[in-house]
Amino acid sequence: MSQLSKKVLGTGAAVVALSAFVPNPFMIGDAMAQATASDTMNITAKIVNPMDVNQLVKLNFGSIAVGAAASAKVVLPATGAAAVTAGDAVLIAGQAAGKVSFNAPSNQTFTISVADLATKAIFITAGATTAASKTMKVDQLFLKASGTKISIGGGTAATLKVGGTSTSAKITGGTAGNVNIGGRLISINPNQLVGTYTGTYTMSVTL
């Protein structure tokens, strides 16, 4: 082989050898450069109150004529006819049990309470007064399940009274149930002012 040939081959060999060490432009620090992307994600939550109570029919002791005996009492059951249980008052007309609707999570036990009975009876009055002749009292409320979708006090009925202001309840077969409400009216005296007596109380439901 001529010297010229040797030089050409040597040069060619050198070129080939050097080309093997040309750095790869896509390699940095012996690691492949990574492509990245990001986005902002959303989180949401909603708080609701599943409990509700609404008066459908107001409790009405109707028209009553007072007699000579003091402290007459009238019992109006949650279902059934009203009756005078003490004194000589006379029921005239219009007696009607109340009704209330409840909403609560299905099969969850909740509490029905009337804080107005915590220490005393509920006053109903003829006008803005507490004079004895213009005041009567309701010292008991009778609750009775209406239909089969709600239980009261572990059964079908319960009584709320002074010192016993709450009872348990549960709605089954849905989230709505109705309860009839009766009561006991006391302090009906011979000197009661003629007129319409009204009052209010607050019924609460809690899980």
Side-chain angles (χ1 to χ4, degrees), residues 37 51 63 85 139 144-145 152 183 193:
M51 308 296 291
S63 299
T85 59
D139 69 340
K144 185 173 178 60
I152 302 293
L193 178 72

Side-chain angles (χ1 to χ4, degrees), residues 63-148:
S63 299
I64 304 168
V66 298
S71 300
K73 298 177 182 178
V74 172
V75 170
L76 175 56
T79 55
V84 176
T85 59
D88 56 359
V90 177
L91 302 180
I92 306 300
Q95 289 75 30
K99 180 174 281 191
V100 62
S101 67
F102 296 104
N103 289 96
S106 183
N107 292 306
Q108 293 292 312
T109 298
F110 60 97
T111 299
I112 303 172
S113 60
V114 176
D116 302 77
L117 288 170
T119 59
K120 60 184 179 180
I122 300 165
F123 280 34
I124 63 172
T125 62
T129 179
T130 56
S133 63
K134 300 178 182 180
T135 302
M136 295 185 289
K137 301 174 184 178
V138 176
D139 69 340
Q140 294 182 13
L141 293 172
F142 312 125
L143 309 184
K144 185 173 178 60
S146 176
T148 60

Side-chain angles (χ1 to χ4, degrees), residues 170-202:
K170 181 188 292 187
I171 297 173
T172 58
T175 60
N178 294 339
V179 171
N180 294 323
I181 302 178
R184 185 171 76 165
L185 181 65
I186 64 173
S187 303
I188 308 170
N189 295 305
N191 65 338
Q192 293 297 152
L193 178 72
V194 173
T196 300
Y197 290 68
T198 61
T200 63
Y201 63 91
T202 299

